[in-house]
Amino acid sequence: ETHGITFRIQISVKELLDTDVLLKLLFHLPVNYPSTLPDISVNSDQLTRAQCMDVKVKLLEQAKKHLSEPMVHDLILWIQQHLKYVIKQSATVCNEKPTLSKGTSTEDGIWMLLLHLDHMRAKAKYVKTVEKWTSDLRLTGRLMFMGKIILILLQGDRSNIKEYLILQKTSKVDVDSSGKKCREKMISVLCETKVQSQHKRFQMFEVKEYSTLDELQKEFETAGLATLFSEFVPPLLK
């Protein structure tokens, strides 16, 4: 009632070289859909991350034309018919701009997200999944373990941060007590804010384990996030 509906659709599309491209589309329909545009996530093993982002942008452009009317079915039909043109256009743009400045970001600037996970039963698989998502979405930061505390600290474009959150909440990343795959239900968004000048930018995403709270605190302090630590982490110990 408050978060709307999220669902996945997989479609196979004939691309330029008559090869099948499997598109994995994730739609999050907010409560006031279709008066509000859906959030859309696009993934494909056959396309680059940049191409997936181009497909997402084109789908959102089409969605604006259908505002206030059900649109998901129309969007799926549209991308099935136009995928090859989107990819061809994407390749042209890539050739025109062979290098992307590391400083380039969306108009929203660089954002930061701090998440708290209650537990990880299938730790190795879970960690591998998080590493893949952060790599695909060009997010940097830390997956931090200290005793029973599990934190994920991310930095990146705001749209990619939001896309990560959708993946985190809707994908079967862990297993339940009976060993069956399950979604992450015990997750808390502790903080989501724009990166400020005093905050250090992480250069990569790393998985780190800390033996003491002091070690964890130093990680935050080194990144200029002492206030973030003191506000959100000590209460988790209670």
Side-chain angles (χ1 to χ4, degrees), residues 28-194:
H28 174 70
L29 309 184
V31 178
N32 45 1
Y33 167 86
S35 299
T36 302
L37 293 177
D39 283 326
I40 303 173
S41 173
V42 179
N43 280 287
S44 175
D45 293 335
Q46 287 84 34
L47 303 181
T48 65
R49 186 67 211 159
Q51 288 172 327
C52 287
M53 289 298 288
D54 286 336
V55 171
K56 173 182 173 179
V57 168
K58 293 297 183 184
L59 282 172
L60 286 172
E61 287 176 3
Q62 290 300 311
K64 289 176 184 176
K65 299 177 182 178
H66 297 279
L67 200 58
S68 297
E69 60 186 59
M71 64 185 77
V72 173
H73 184 250
D74 289 323
L75 294 178
I76 291 169
L77 291 178
W78 186 88
I79 198 60
Q80 285 178 314
Q81 295 167 4
H82 295 86
L83 179 65
K84 63 175 68 177
Y85 305 110
V86 174
I87 291 175
K88 187 183 287 186
Q89 193 175 32
S90 176
T92 304
V93 172
C94 285
N95 289 333
E96 291 173 356
K97 300 176 183 177
T99 56
L100 185 67
S101 167
K102 286 185 178 179
T104 300
S105 64
T106 65
E107 61 184 4
D108 284 330
I110 302 301
W111 278 65
M112 179 167 57
L113 177 72
L114 181 62
L115 301 174
H116 173 239
L117 302 182
D118 186 71
H119 61 269
M120 283 185 185
R121 286 194 175 94
K123 183 177 177 180
K125 179 181 178 297
Y126 204 131
V127 168
K128 193 173 181 180
T129 300
V130 170
E131 287 178 322
K132 183 181 187 307
W133 287 342
T134 55
S135 174
D136 287 347
L137 293 167
R138 298 193 292 275
L139 299 175
T140 60
R142 300 283 186 268
L143 170 52
M144 301 176 280
F145 295 92
M146 200 290 294
K148 292 185 178 181
I149 293 178
I150 307 171
L151 299 170
I152 300 178
L153 179 61
L154 300 174
Q155 291 178 346
D157 289 349
R158 193 177 189 185
S159 60
N160 290 356
I161 291 274
K162 288 185 176 296
E163 194 167 336
Y164 177 91
L165 260 180
I166 292 173
L167 288 169
Q168 180 77 63
K169 291 178 179 179
T170 59
S171 304
K172 292 185 177 180
V173 288
D174 207 359
V175 296
D176 60 21
S177 55
S178 62
K180 291 182 180 178
K181 290 182 180 179
C182 66
R183 293 183 179 87
E184 179 58 76
K185 297 176 182 177
M186 304 288 284
I187 184 170
S188 303
V189 178
L190 300 179
C191 179
E192 185 177 355
T193 184
K194 195 169 184 178

Side-chain angles (χ1 to χ4, degrees), residues 196-228:
Q196 304 300 318
S197 57
Q198 70 269 25
H199 300 153
K200 177 187 170 186
R201 287 291 311 280
F202 293 109
Q203 298 303 308
M204 62 184 71
F205 183 80
E206 295 181 82
V207 180
K208 302 185 78 171
E209 304 217 11
Y210 310 85
S211 55
T212 66
L213 191 63
D214 285 343
E215 286 182 12
L216 182 60
Q217 185 172 354
K218 283 178 184 176
E219 181 76 73
F220 277 80
E221 289 175 349
T222 302
L225 301 171
T227 303
L228 191 73

